[in-house]
Amino acid sequence: MQDLLRNVSASYKDFSARQKKIADLFFREPIFIAFSPALEVGKRVQVSESTVIRWTQKLGYRGYTEFQHTLQRKLAEERLDNAQQEQPAGADQSFLENLLDADITSILKLKQTIDEENLLQVVDRISKSERRYVTGNFFDFGLAQWFGGWLGSALGNTAMMQPGTAAYYGQMAELGPHDTIIAFAFPRYTRTLMDTLEQAKRKGAEVIVLTDSEESPAAKSADNVLVVSVNANLNIDSYTAVHALLTSVMRFVYVKEHAKVKEKLAQLEAAYTDQDIFI
């Protein structure tokens, strides 16, 4: 992004009065220019669409579209994580393609770093547990509910553990060595989740943590840690790699407990049919 800013700054003295209006808008609101048609940009600073196009050509681009794609890419590169920056996107890619590439990169990183033996231990523990409890930071509770819902459908004896509820205290009171807590602990970490994991550990329960780093505060209470990165592009977290990891765990569980899972899902399907739920 800095090289683009320098290019516009260096050319500023050669711009006409109308072109300087566009340049000033670029310095103030680059995101507006990145995602607005040339006509809208012109209206914002009271110049014609053709003036906007000529301005980009004066900067060395074939036209507004090429300049806009370059600006989108520069803005994306500025905000993508280090893994994305190590493999910068091509100049001809759109902003959307850059964002999707960042998610692809996070999955490739997972592929390269995942400890498959550890993953199989997690699958084995989940399968053998008498009871499974799934919990997480409140930012991660949607993930926890999705994964816990599938485990409940496939294996039974699975419940959501939500701190602060009446059910939570009953679950903690009953927790024992034959139970497993599966916790989602991605930033921002909460004290409530850390306290839950510490209590579970004291009670002898198995603790499995999915988190973004071995240095995560949740890792110290875990018997098994599955590390997977979360992209934070434009301050919006992407859990694409986390979903990929969870899907792999689910498939391993399905293979390991095939007969049991098949029977449970058949029972569920029969209930759906009996209630005439689906069209």
Side-chain angles (χ1 to χ4, degrees):
M1 186 63 186
Q2 292 303 313
D3 56 344
L4 191 54
L5 288 168
R6 283 193 295 269
N7 184 17
V8 176
S9 296
S11 303
Y12 191 85
K13 64 182 183 300
D14 299 321
F15 293 153
S16 67
R18 291 181 179 179
Q19 289 174 339
K20 285 180 179 178
K21 289 183 178 181
I22 305 167
D24 291 340
L25 178 64
F26 168 76
F27 292 133
R28 292 195 312 270
E29 300 181 57
I31 292 178
F32 174 77
I33 293 180
F35 296 101
S36 300
L39 181 62
E40 291 299 318
V41 172
K43 286 181 179 178
R44 175 68 74 89
V45 293
Q46 298 180 321
V47 302
S48 67
E49 180 182 16
S50 59
T51 299
V52 176
I53 295 170
R54 285 195 297 272
W55 176 74
T56 61
Q57 291 170 339
K58 194 156 190 172
L59 289 169
Y61 297 90
R62 289 192 295 269
Y64 183 74
T65 300
E66 184 182 36
F67 172 80
Q68 194 174 49
H69 284 172
T70 300
L71 177 56
Q72 290 171 355
R73 178 172 59 85
K74 295 294 185 181
L75 288 169
E77 287 177 355
E78 192 173 62
R79 291 163 174 81
L80 296 180
D81 64 9
N82 292 334
Q84 172 68 2
Q85 291 174 8
E86 290 170 3
Q87 298 179 350
D92 59 341
Q93 289 200 144
S94 71
F95 183 66
L96 173 61
E97 289 171 324
N98 289 333
L99 292 177
L100 293 175
D101 275 349
D103 284 336
I104 292 169
T105 298
S106 67
I107 293 176
L108 290 174
K109 182 179 178 182
L110 173 64
K111 179 182 176 182
Q112 293 164 358
T113 59
I114 189 69
D115 182 342
E116 191 166 339
E117 183 177 345
N118 183 44
L119 178 64
L120 292 175
Q121 290 175 5
V122 167
V123 170
D124 188 60
R125 181 60 197 183
I126 289 174
S127 301
K128 290 179 178 178
S129 293
E130 288 186 5
R131 292 175 297 193
R132 288 160 286 272
Y133 297 102
V134 186
T135 189
N137 295 316
F138 55 81
F139 291 114
D140 311 318
F141 217 73
L143 281 171
Q145 286 187 312
W146 174 70
F147 185 60
W150 185 85
L151 287 179
S153 298
L155 298 175
N157 293 332
T158 303
M160 297 304 302
M161 179 177 276
Q162 187 168 4
T165 63
Y168 168 78
Y169 296 105
Q171 290 166 342
M172 290 302 297
E174 295 176 354
L175 202 62
H178 300 294
D179 301 325
T180 296
I181 285 188
I182 304 160
F184 292 79
F186 296 97
R188 300 165 65 184
Y189 313 112
T190 61
R191 292 186 181 88
T192 306
L193 179 61
M194 302 310 127
D195 291 344
T196 296
L197 298 183
E198 289 171 8
Q199 289 183 56
K201 197 65 186 166
R202 287 197 297 270
K203 286 176 168 287
E206 192 84 5
V207 176
I208 297 168
V209 170
L210 288 89
T211 189
D212 63 313
S213 168
E214 293 281 0
E215 305 304 317
S216 163
K220 66 181 181 181
S221 298
D223 296 287
N224 293 92
V225 179
L226 293 176
V227 176
V228 54
S229 62
V230 173
N231 273 329
N233 300 331
L234 306 178
N235 293 321
I236 299 172
D237 293 336
S238 171
Y239 292 87
T240 302
V242 182
H243 278 280
L245 176 59
L246 292 176
T247 302
S248 296
V249 171
M250 290 155 66
R251 287 169 174 163
F252 272 109
V253 169
Y254 184 87
V255 171
K256 181 176 176 59
E257 300 291 336
H258 180 69
K260 181 178 181 179
V261 173
K262 188 175 180 180
E263 180 183 359
K264 291 285 293 181
L265 294 180
Q267 291 171 353
L268 183 61
E269 191 62 36
Y272 290 153
T273 302
D274 185 56
Q275 296 296 320
D276 195 24
I277 291 177
F278 299 111
I279 297 173

